[in-house]
Amino acid sequence: MTSHHAAASLSLEARLTRYRSQALRLLDSAQTAMGRGRWSQSEELLWGSLVAAARGVALWYGEAADSDQALRDFLRRLGEQERDRYIRDAFDHLSALSDAAERVRERRSRVDYLFLAMDDLTEAVERLVARIPGGDSPIPSADPDDNVADFGR
């Protein structure tokens, strides 16, 4: 049995749960790495977290997410539809984090800019994860008036 067949045989619910938990686990690891000053490691973990969260949401919405560009396009459309700049600009936040990390490494910038970029990216990932059904404790929206996750329960 090929890995493709194994993945296809997983239920939708199991795949959504896997993307959701992977996104949260990687986000947590990224925050730990960032706190320890491991910028490059944190950046890679955040990339993985964002991609896992985006793939989970794309799967739930029935969108093709077979490439980074497809994921970028999907998040931009979703963010525009829902008027959510964090989701719309998620990959831009990742680029900003990468740029900030490079400037910090070259000692041309203060570390706090790196943490600001991380905050935007963390918010994007958390908002995406909140749109993936399942999980014991969905992450509440930062804005109580913002209806982030209504899965028809």
Side-chain angles (χ1 to χ4, degrees):
M1 187 150 123
T2 66
S3 63
H4 176 70
H5 290 298
S9 68
L10 278 177
S11 73
L12 176 63
E13 187 178 334
R15 291 171 67 201
L16 291 169
T17 300
R18 191 180 68 214
Y19 280 130
R20 184 181 226 287
S21 63
Q22 184 180 31
L24 291 172
R25 193 178 67 250
L26 290 170
L27 180 60
D28 186 54
S29 297
Q31 290 168 331
T32 300
M34 181 70 78
R36 293 179 178 158
R38 296 182 179 147
W39 320 133
S40 296
Q41 182 185 18
S42 180
E43 194 180 329
E44 287 174 27
L45 291 164
L46 282 165
W47 169 262
S49 178
L50 176 60
V51 167
R55 284 193 176 140
V57 176
L59 176 64
W60 178 243
Y61 281 72
E63 287 276 335
D66 46 3
S67 73
D68 291 342
Q69 190 57 50
L71 281 177
R72 284 176 192 264
D73 294 344
F74 169 66
L75 290 190
R76 189 158 300 283
R77 281 195 324 271
L78 179 66
E80 285 170 2
Q81 275 176 334
E82 299 190 8
R83 293 183 179 86
D84 188 320
R85 70 178 180 85
Y86 288 102
I87 290 176
R88 183 193 67 215
D89 300 338
F91 279 96
D92 295 338
H93 295 315
L94 189 65
S95 296
L97 179 83
S98 181
D99 294 345
E102 189 60 33
R103 286 194 305 273
V104 167
R105 278 192 289 273
E106 294 172 359
R107 306 212 184 289
R108 291 187 292 128
S109 180
R110 298 191 336 239
V111 174
D112 51 343
Y113 290 116
L114 196 55
F115 283 92
L116 288 171
M118 171 125 185
D119 288 346
D120 285 341
L121 194 51
T122 297
E123 183 68 23
V125 169
E126 289 177 346
R127 286 175 181 229
L128 286 167
V129 166
R131 284 166 170 76
I132 302 172
D136 299 332
S137 53
I139 295 169
S141 169
D143 178 358
D145 299 326
D146 191 7
N147 246 348
V148 171
D150 178 14
F151 302 119
R153 291 185 190 195

